[in-house]
Amino acid sequence: MDIGVSTKIIEGILIVELVLFLIILILTYGLKLWRDRINRSRQAKFRHIAQFFDKLSGNNESFTPNLFEKSWRKGRETFMAFFAADKAYSDNPGWQKNRATFLETTLLPMARNFSHSPLWLKRFFASETFSISADRDDEKAIIKLTKDKVPLVFYHSIPAAIKVESEVAINNIIDRFAEVNWIPQTLFLEMFKNAGPNIREFIVKRLQSTDKSAIRAACYKLLRQFPAADLPVEQKDLESDNFELRLAALKYLFEKDPKGAVPYLIMALKDPHWEVRLIAIHRLSSLKDESIIPALAGSLSDSDWWVRLSAAESLKSLGRKGENILHERSPELAQIPFDASKHISHTLW
Amino acid sequence: MLTSIVVILNWLVLCFLIYCSFGYILLLVASIRDIFRRYQEINVGDVLALMKSQTLIPVTVLIAAYNEEENITESIESVFRSDYEQTNVIVINDGSTDGTLKKLIERYNLHPTNYVIPPLIKNTAPVKAYYVSDTHPRLTVIDKVHRCKSDSLNIGINACRTPLFITVDADSLLDPSAISEMVFYMMIRSHAVAVGGGVYVLNGCEYKNGRIIKEALPKTYVAGVQACEYLRSFLFNRAGWNPLYGALSYSGTATLFEHKAVIDVGGFDLQNPANDFEVIVNLHAHKRDDDIPYEIGFTPAALAWTDVPSTLKQFWHQRTNWQIGKLRSLLLHKYMLFNPRYGIVGLFTYPFYLFCETLGAVVEFSAYVLVLLSWYLGIFDGYVVGLFFLVCLGFITLLTLCTVLMNDISYNKYGGLKDMPRILFYVLTEPFGFRQISVLCRVIATVKYFFMKRDVDDMAHSSA
C-alpha cells in the first residue's frame, strides 16, 4: 500500500478516535448531570407517593382510586413505595385496611399492564406484585412470567404461581428446576416452603406422569417441602442410573417413613456415588439406633474422606458401642474430640 | 532485505493490533448489558431481600494472611459486616513473623482446640494449631508452617465444610452486600462453579472497622492510574466474558467458588504466583474434559476494595509475578489452544488471553521497536510514527474512558463531578509513560520465564 494512503488511513482513525473521545467525554458529563436530575425527580416522586401511603396508614378513611394521582400510575416509584410501605406498616391497622383496596384497584391493574412489557424491570414489578396478590384471572400472565428468561422476574413468579395454584405454571417451574444444578435449586425450594396441598398434588401428578429422571428427581426434591404423605417411592427411582434421582428418592423415602427406609439406606452405603453414601450415613445416624453400628463401621473404610469422617462422627454420636468400634480401628481416632468441629460454624450445613 | 522484513513485520503487528482491538471492542459491547442489568438488580430488584433467608447456602470466607498485622482485623470485620447471614470465616495464618496471630488471638478471644482437617487437597504444609473463638463463633483461625498463599488457601479449603467458599485477600475489604451478590449471581445461573466480583482500589479511601467511610480516588499517581486500570479490567473486561462461559481470570481478592469443584481440580497451584488465574483455567479445562455443564461468571455488583502497590517498585514486582503466573498457567494448558474440544474457551477465550492479554505486551513492545526502526530505515517518516503511537494509545484511552463512563452511570464509585478532572488526568496520562513501564515489566518477566527458569522458580516459590 502506498505510504500516502496509509498515512491518510491512520489520520482518519485518529480523527475518529478524537471525535469518539469528545463524544464520550460529553456523554460522561452530560449523563452525570442527566442522571442526577432524573434521580432527583424520581426521588421526589417516590417521596410524594410514600407520603401518600403514610397518610393512608394513619387515618381511618378508606382508600378510593381517585385519591391516587394519574401521574403516579405509570412509573416504577409506585411499586417501590408500595413495597417499602408494606414492610414498614405491616402491623398498622390503617394500612392493612386500605392495602387490599389499593392492590385491587390500582397496583394489580398496573401489574397486569406491566407483565407484557418488553422491559424486564416492568415485568419484575408485575411479578413481584403477583407474588403478594393475584387471582385466577392473572393465571395467563403468571404462566408467561414463569417462562421469563430474566431470573429476578422468574423467581418472583414462583410465589405468584403458588398463590394462584396454576398447574401449568407449576409445571413450568418444575421444568426449570430440573434444568439447574443444586445451587439455584436452593432458592426454588425456599419458595415452595409454604405452598398448599394443591401444589403438592400438581407435583405428585407430574411425578406420576413422567419417566424423565431429572424431572422425577426435581419432583421428589420439591415434595420434601411438604408434610410427608403416603406417596410410594418407586423402586426404579432408588435404583436409577441418575444419582440425583437415587438421592432425591432416598431422602424422600426417609422423610416419609424413617424406619421403613433403613434397608434402603443400608443398601445405599454401597452406592457408587459418594454423596448418596454420605446422606445414607447421616440419615442412619439420626435414627440413634445401635443396630446400625455394624453397617456404619463398614463405611470407616470408604474410599471417600467425607464418608469416612461422617461414619466416624456418626459412630461417636451413637455412644459407647460406637466409640468402641472407633477404638478398635484406631485408638487415636477415638480420642479425637469430634465435638470440636461443632464449635465452628460450618455445622450449619 | 532488512526493509522488506521490517515491512512484513509491520503488517503482522498491525494485524495483531486489529485482532486485539476487535476483541476488546467485542468485550466492551458484550459487557454493557450485563453491567446495567446487575446495577438495576441491586438498585430496584431488591436482590438483597431475596438473599436474607436463613436456609440459603452457607459460605466460608477464606483469608490467607502472611504478616498482615496491620490489615487483618479490618478485612475480617468487613466480612462480619456482610448482610449474608450464613457467612463463616477461616483465617489461615501462613507462619507470619509479625504479630498477626497474637493480634487475632487477643482481638477475638481465640483458644486452641483439636480438629481434624481432611486431606482433600494433599501435600499441604503442617498445621501448628487450630483456634476457635468464644466471642465470634463464626471465626476459625488456622496457624500453619509458612509456605505460600496457595498452600494456605488449600488448607482453608480442606478445613472448609460449606459447599461454597470465597477467597478474600488479607489486605482487602468486602462490601457488605458482596457475598449476597455473588451467591445471588451463582443462583441465577444454571451451573455456575465460580463467580468473580469487581475490585476497586482501597488506597485513598477512608475506612474503619472494616467499613468504607469515604470512597475516594488514590492520592498517589501510581495507585491512581491503577484505579482506572482496575475499572477497565473489572468493569468491561470481566463482564464482557459472561456470555462466553466466563473469563480465564478473576481476582483472588473476591471470588466465590463451589467447594467441590475446586477440590476436583486439586485446589490452588503451589508453584504459581497467579494462583487465582490458574485455578480458573483449571476449572474450565476440567469441566470441559469431563463434559460437565458449567459456567464461570462475573458480577460487578459484588464489590471488594484492595490495596494496590503505591510505588513503581512494588508495582513492578506485582506485575512481574502476574505475568509469570499467567504464562505458567497458559502454557501448562497449551493443549486448549484452538482445540475445538474446549469449545469457545479453546477457540476464542484461551487464544485471546494468550496472545492479547499475556503475550500482547511483547507484541506491543515489538511494535514500538519496529515503528522506530521503520522511521530509522525511512519506511515511515516522523509524522507517521507519531500518528501511529497516538492511534494505538488513543484506543486504550478510549476504552478506559468508556469504562469510566459506565462506572459513572452505574456504580459511580469515584465521587461526583469534582473527581472527574483527576480521573481524566489518569486516563489521559496512563498511555504515555506508565503503560510503557508496565509493558517493559511484562516483557522482562516473559524473557525471564522463558530463559531464566531458576530465577522464576525461586520467585514463584517466594510469592505464590
Side-chain angles (χ1 to χ4, degrees):
Chain A
M1 196 188 290
D2 181 61
I3 190 77
V5 179
S6 310
T7 311
K8 290 276 176 224
I9 291 173
I10 299 176
E11 278 174 346
I13 296 173
L14 189 64
I15 290 167
V16 170
E17 279 186 358
L18 277 172
V19 171
L20 280 175
F21 184 84
L22 283 173
I23 291 173
I24 294 169
L25 205 62
I26 293 165
L27 266 180
T28 309
Y29 269 103
L31 281 173
K32 249 179 196 298
L33 295 170
W34 176 77
R35 187 201 50 195
D36 288 350
R37 216 176 121 192
I38 291 280
N39 280 350
R40 272 199 301 275
S41 110
R42 278 190 175 150
Q43 278 162 9
K45 192 173 172 188
F46 179 87
R47 263 199 312 275
H48 288 142
I49 302 172
Q51 278 165 4
F52 175 81
F53 288 144
D54 191 45
K55 274 186 198 162
L56 208 61
S57 68
N59 64 32
N60 289 324
E61 283 174 35
S62 296
F63 169 79
T64 49
N66 58 350
L67 291 173
F68 201 69
E69 282 184 26
K70 259 191 176 172
S71 63
W72 294 349
R73 290 168 198 266
K74 283 178 186 162
R76 60 172 86 159
E77 292 76 18
T78 302
F79 289 92
M80 292 168 80
F82 173 82
F83 287 109
D86 211 26
K87 267 183 209 160
Y89 309 129
S90 58
D91 300 328
N92 185 317
W95 173 255
Q96 290 305 326
K97 195 181 88 181
N98 287 314
R99 178 186 183 270
T101 324
F102 179 77
L103 266 167
E104 189 69 31
T105 59
T106 312
L107 209 64
L108 271 172
M110 280 176 79
R112 283 170 195 136
N113 280 338
F114 277 26
S115 66
H116 303 290
S117 170
L119 300 174
W120 79 270
L121 260 178
K122 288 194 169 183
R123 298 198 307 279
F124 162 71
F125 285 123
S127 201
E128 198 178 19
T129 308
F130 289 143
S131 74
I132 57 164
S133 174
D135 52 45
R136 292 294 300 177
D137 294 342
D138 298 317
E139 186 182 1
K140 216 171 159 187
I142 291 169
I143 288 171
K144 196 168 157 254
L145 293 171
T146 54
K147 285 182 180 168
D148 205 287
K149 292 240 182 320
V150 178
L152 265 183
V153 179
F154 167 73
Y155 279 126
H156 280 89
S157 75
I158 298 176
I162 291 171
K163 204 171 268 295
V164 297
E165 300 188 336
S166 162
E167 187 172 358
V168 181
I170 295 296
N171 278 328
N172 286 344
I173 295 165
I174 293 172
D175 288 339
R176 190 94 160 237
F177 183 89
E179 281 170 14
V180 300
N181 73 2
W182 67 272
I183 298 171
Q185 282 181 356
T186 318
L187 208 51
F188 282 75
L189 294 172
E190 174 82 14
M191 311 226 177
F192 271 83
K193 266 187 182 158
N194 301 314
N198 285 345
I199 304 298
R200 185 185 174 280
E201 286 314 307
F202 295 151
I203 301 169
V204 170
K205 202 169 149 192
R206 185 73 193 273
L207 177 69
Q208 286 167 341
S209 66
T210 183
D211 279 332
K212 288 182 183 166
S213 56
I215 302 278
R216 293 186 71 80
C219 290
Y220 280 123
K221 285 179 193 176
L222 288 169
L223 283 172
R224 287 183 53 229
Q225 302 303 306
F226 298 86
D230 195 24
L231 172 75
V233 174
E234 289 190 32
Q235 188 73 28
K236 66 173 183 184
D237 293 336
L238 292 162
E239 292 166 1
S240 164
D241 288 340
N242 180 329
F243 94 88
E244 285 205 43
L245 178 53
R246 291 200 302 276
L247 192 60
L250 194 66
K251 282 181 179 176
Y252 182 78
L253 180 68
F254 179 79
E255 268 172 38
K256 194 170 74 88
D257 176 15
K259 290 277 174 202
V262 169
Y264 297 100
L265 288 168
I266 290 176
M267 266 195 313
L269 292 174
K270 305 270 181 239
D271 193 277
H273 199 279
W274 69 275
E275 228 174 297
V276 182
R277 301 199 298 275
L278 189 76
I279 293 298
I281 289 171
H282 284 170
R283 297 297 187 270
L284 282 170
S285 84
S286 72
L287 293 172
K288 301 285 175 205
D289 180 356
E290 286 185 359
S291 66
I292 57 155
I293 287 177
L296 287 180
S299 295
L300 285 173
S301 340
D302 196 280
S303 58
D304 186 90
W305 207 97
W306 286 111
V307 177
R308 292 202 299 276
L309 177 68
S310 291
E313 279 179 324
S314 300
L315 285 167
K316 179 94 181 168
S317 73
L318 288 171
R320 180 62 61 196
K321 279 191 181 173
E323 279 178 32
N324 287 343
I325 298 276
L326 292 176
H327 262 296
E328 281 168 25
R329 289 292 174 106
S330 153
E332 192 197 336
L333 197 61
Q335 282 163 17
I336 295 168
F338 286 109
D339 294 339
S341 64
K342 292 187 178 63
H343 278 280
I344 65 164
S345 42
H346 56 231
T347 47
L348 280 166
W349 187 241
Chain B
M1 175 69 182
L2 181 63
T3 308
S4 309
I5 291 171
V6 171
V7 169
I8 291 167
L9 286 174
N10 273 334
W11 276 108
L12 286 175
V13 167
L14 187 67
C15 291
F16 176 83
L17 290 177
I18 291 169
Y19 166 66
C20 289
S21 307
F22 187 66
Y24 283 120
I25 290 169
L26 266 184
L27 286 178
L28 182 68
V29 172
S31 69
I32 293 171
R33 185 174 160 268
D34 222 53
I35 288 167
F36 292 113
R37 171 70 59 81
R38 301 281 92 80
Y39 176 67
Q40 285 178 316
E41 276 172 1
I42 47 168
N43 273 288
V44 188
D46 208 2
V47 167
L48 301 179
L50 207 60
M51 306 305 290
K52 281 265 183 292
S53 169
Q54 282 277 350
T55 53
L56 288 177
I57 308 164
V59 172
T60 301
V61 175
L62 303 182
I63 305 175
Y66 177 64
N67 290 346
E68 295 285 358
E69 185 182 1
E70 278 184 29
N71 307 313
I72 188 68
T73 54
E74 291 286 347
S75 184
I76 295 171
E77 290 300 319
S78 80
V79 180
F80 285 154
R81 283 181 183 281
S82 170
D83 53 23
Y84 192 77
E85 290 180 23
Q86 309 285 56
T87 307
N88 318 303
V89 186
I90 298 180
V91 179
I92 309 100
N93 177 44
D94 188 20
S96 296
T97 50
D98 65 353
T100 304
L101 185 63
K102 192 168 167 251
K103 191 170 181 181
L104 287 170
I105 290 172
E106 284 169 4
R107 173 80 182 256
Y108 298 109
N109 278 327
L110 299 176
H111 61 83
T113 185
N114 292 318
Y115 183 66
V116 187
I117 297 179
L120 302 169
I121 298 167
K122 297 188 172 36
N123 301 322
T124 52
V127 169
K128 291 195 277 188
Y130 187 97
Y131 296 89
V132 290
S133 168
D134 288 333
T135 50
H136 297 76
R138 289 175 182 269
L139 174 68
T140 303
V141 174
I142 299 171
D143 184 30
K144 63 177 274 275
V145 171
H146 175 62
R147 190 188 269 178
C148 60
K149 187 180 168 189
S150 297
D151 185 65
S152 302
L153 290 174
N154 285 346
I155 286 180
I157 293 168
N158 284 347
C160 163
R161 290 180 78 176
T162 56
L164 303 176
F165 72 86
I166 297 177
T167 56
V168 174
D169 286 347
D171 58 357
S172 306
L173 305 185
L174 271 190
D175 199 69
S177 64
I179 300 176
S180 295
E181 291 293 345
M182 282 195 267
V183 176
F184 174 73
Y185 190 85
M186 206 169 234
M187 285 185 157
I188 61 172
R189 299 281 152 180
S190 321
H191 299 91
V193 291
V195 175
V199 182
Y200 288 82
V201 170
L202 184 62
N203 313 41
C205 296
E206 280 177 35
Y207 54 94
K208 199 178 175 189
N209 289 332
R211 190 166 67 92
I212 302 271
I213 298 165
K214 190 183 166 202
E215 294 158 357
L217 274 173
K219 290 184 177 66
T220 64
Y221 180 74
V222 174
V225 172
Q226 287 173 86
C228 295
E229 199 188 26
Y230 270 57
L231 274 185
R232 192 172 63 216
S233 170
F234 283 97
L235 263 184
F236 92 83
N237 197 333
R238 305 291 202 283
W241 289 107
N242 276 346
L244 305 172
Y245 293 92
L248 291 192
S249 152
Y250 294 100
S251 169
T253 304
T255 301
L256 172 71
F257 292 96
E258 190 193 13
H259 189 212
K260 195 180 170 302
V262 178
I263 290 169
D264 287 346
V265 297
F268 288 88
D269 182 1
L270 299 181
Q271 304 301 320
N272 197 323
N275 50 29
D276 40 4
F277 186 90
E278 164 60 20
V279 78
I280 296 288
V281 181
N282 222 347
L283 279 172
H284 276 293
H286 181 261
K287 295 289 176 189
R288 286 190 179 264
D289 276 338
D290 293 354
D291 280 333
I292 300 170
Y294 79 103
E295 278 174 80
I296 295 173
F298 169 79
T299 173
L303 309 179
W305 300 80
T306 194
D307 246 342
V308 297
S310 51
T311 64
L312 264 184
K313 193 179 167 192
Q314 292 168 344
F315 174 81
W316 187 281
H317 180 71
Q318 184 198 52
R319 296 304 156 104
T320 302
N321 280 335
W322 286 4
Q323 179 73 0
I324 287 172
K326 277 201 254 180
L327 274 170
R328 186 185 153 83
S329 183
L330 287 168
L331 296 178
L332 196 69
H333 298 278
K334 56 181 178 285
Y335 53 86
M336 287 169 83
L337 182 65
F338 297 125
N339 187 341
R341 179 171 166 65
Y342 294 91
I344 193 86
V345 177
L347 296 174
F348 183 64
T349 317
Y350 182 96
F352 189 81
Y353 265 86
L354 180 66
F355 298 125
C356 296
E357 295 272 307
T358 311
L359 296 177
V362 179
V363 180
E364 191 174 332
F365 182 78
S366 315
Y368 295 142
V369 174
L370 274 172
V371 170
L372 290 174
L373 196 62
S374 303
W375 176 46
Y376 177 76
L377 293 173
I379 302 169
F380 299 146
D381 58 20
Y383 177 68
V384 176
V385 171
L387 272 184
F388 178 78
F389 280 126
L390 276 177
V391 165
C392 293
L393 302 176
F395 180 73
I396 306 290
T397 313
L398 268 181
L399 284 182
T400 317
L401 199 64
C402 282
T403 30
V404 170
L405 171 68
M406 284 201 276
N407 170 59
D408 274 350
I409 53 180
S410 57
Y411 302 96
N412 194 26
K413 283 297 157 197
Y414 293 122
L417 281 170
K418 68 178 191 314
D419 273 336
M420 275 298 287
R422 214 140 61 95
I423 291 191
L424 279 179
F425 172 71
Y426 292 140
V427 171
L428 289 171
T429 54
E430 185 213 345
F432 305 97
F434 193 85
R435 184 173 176 86
Q436 286 71 25
I437 293 172
S438 169
V439 165
L440 186 65
C441 160
R442 285 154 67 200
V443 170
I444 292 173
T446 308
V447 172
K448 269 188 185 166
Y449 181 81
F450 285 109
F451 303 105
M452 299 155 84
K453 280 277 181 202
R454 189 184 284 180
D455 281 7
V456 168
D457 287 345
D458 289 348
M459 198 157 49
H461 189 72
S462 66
S463 56

